[in-house]
């Protein structure tokens, strides 16, 4: 099950797992995009279940997950990918609306899905939760304040869940990407493509498929091996704030 599977890292993960022989539950907010992605994944050989809902809406989450029949109800791998950044302002000049959307999606949305999927993993003594965090969760960077805080929360929630399920065979992985060229920056700059393109100038960034490779590697490790945390950066990126452009 991959949340936010219609673009970027979510789509990269969906493609990799489809190619790897998994059947997929993909979620997103846009039915047309879900249908398009579902068709692509089916052509890769996966059986696909599409769920259209917003992870911020707990009632929608519950209704979607409760709609899964016996064929789909037992999720083996959950990829909590749905997330976004909005704005690049100083903390004292930020937008309340942007903050609410980031917190509700990146933290509460992840918690909503985790709460509704992980109990059956623990009951079956089998499963894997892969959370998509960020290098931004390790240390704040200029004007990243609230987004960085949400990704720091993803790290803490991943670590906490790993402790909570340690008596079971459920595994928890936090993948922390650096610069990944997706719609991420277009969203952050509220649709300003020129500003978004400048983020990746002078450096070859990661792609959603690169992160899909990492997620698949973690899920494919032997059952006694838990890839707890992976930091993945572009070659000329040293940290969240150190990027060498050529």
């Amino acid at each position: 099950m991959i949340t936010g599977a219609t673009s970027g890292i979510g789509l990269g993960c969906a493609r990799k797992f489809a190619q790897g022989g998994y059947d997929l539950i993909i979620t997103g907010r846009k039915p047309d995009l879900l249908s398009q992605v579902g068709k692509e994944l089916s052509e890769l050989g996966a059986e696909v279940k599409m769920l259209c809902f917003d992870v911020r809406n707990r009632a929608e989450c519950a209704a979607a997950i409760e709609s899964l029949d016996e064929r789909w109800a037992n999720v083996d791998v959950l990829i909590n990918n749905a997330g976004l950044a909005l704005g690049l302002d100083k903390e004292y000049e930020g937008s309340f609306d942007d903050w609410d959307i980031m917190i509700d999606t990146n933290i509460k949305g992840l918690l909503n899905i985790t709460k509704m999927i992980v109990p059956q993993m623990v009951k079956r003594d089998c499963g894997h939760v892969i959370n998509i965090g960020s290098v931004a969760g390790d240390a704040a960077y200029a004007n990243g304040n609230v987004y960085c805080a949400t990704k720091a929360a993803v790290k803490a929630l991943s670590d906490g869940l790993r402790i909570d399920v340690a008596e079971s065979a459920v595994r928890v992985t936090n993948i922390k990407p650096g610069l990944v060229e997706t719609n991420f920056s277009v969203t952050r700059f509220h649709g300003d493509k020129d500003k978004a393109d400048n983020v990746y100038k002078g450096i070859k960034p990661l792609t959603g498929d690169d992160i899909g490779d990492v997620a698949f590697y973690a899920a494919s490790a032997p059952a006694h091996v838990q890839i707890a945390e992976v930091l993945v950066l572009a070659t000329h990126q040293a940290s969240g704030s150190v990027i060498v452009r050529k």
Side-chain angles (χ1 to χ4, degrees), residues 29-89:
R29 294 178 297 160
K30 300 176 181 178
D32 291 345
L33 269 179
L34 264 180
S35 180
Q36 180 181 327
V37 171
K39 182 179 179 183
E40 176 187 343
L41 299 174
S42 295
E43 290 171 353
L44 292 174
E47 189 172 343
V48 182
K49 179 76 170 177
M50 294 170 282
L51 297 177
C52 188
F53 66 94
D54 189 333
V55 297
R56 294 176 296 172
N57 187 313
R58 194 165 295 152
E60 287 185 10
C61 293
I65 291 169
E66 288 169 6
S67 75
L68 296 172
D69 60 23
E70 187 176 350
R71 163 75 177 83
W72 294 99
N74 290 329
V75 173
D76 297 303
V77 179
L78 167 64
I79 302 181
N80 277 315
N81 164 75
L84 76 168
L86 288 172
L88 198 62
D89 305 304

Side-chain angles (χ1 to χ4, degrees), residues 2 43-44 49 55 65 70 75 107 110 116 127 129 143 167 170-171 176 202-203 205 241:
I2 303 170
E43 290 171 353
L44 292 174
K49 179 76 170 177
V55 297
I65 291 169
E70 187 176 350
V75 173
I107 302 176
L110 179 148
M116 295 175 193
V129 179
N143 301 329
E167 291 185 356
V170 177
R171 302 184 293 184
K176 305 184 299 184
I203 187 170
S241 58

Side-chain angles (χ1 to χ4, degrees), residues 95-128:
S95 160
F96 287 119
D97 289 340
D98 286 353
W99 295 351
D100 286 344
I101 292 170
M102 286 188 284
I103 291 168
D104 288 349
T105 305
N106 300 357
I107 302 176
K108 293 165 70 175
L110 179 148
L111 283 169
N112 288 340
I113 302 301
T114 299
K115 165 74 172 173
M116 295 175 193
I117 295 296
V118 171
Q120 51 89 356
M121 291 182 172
V122 173
K123 184 177 180 180
R124 290 184 297 120
D125 199 30
C126 178
H128 195 162

Side-chain angles (χ1 to χ4, degrees), residues 136-210:
D138 287 345
Y141 54 75
N143 301 329
N145 41 77
V146 174
Y147 173 71
C148 294
T150 66
K151 289 304 183 177
V154 171
K155 173 178 171 51
L157 292 170
S158 300
D159 292 346
L161 180 62
R162 194 178 305 112
I163 294 166
D164 291 339
V165 300
E167 291 185 356
S168 75
V170 177
R171 302 184 293 184
V172 180
T173 299
N174 179 25
I175 298 177
K176 305 184 299 184
L179 280 177
V180 184
E181 189 166 12
T182 64
N183 284 330
F184 176 88
S185 289
V186 177
T187 300
R188 163 167 263 172
F189 293 114
H190 299 281
D192 189 325
K193 186 75 164 56
D194 289 339
K195 279 188 178 180
D197 288 345
N198 282 332
V199 173
Y200 309 107
K201 278 188 176 177
I203 187 170
K204 185 173 182 179
L206 303 169
T207 68
D209 291 341
D210 293 328

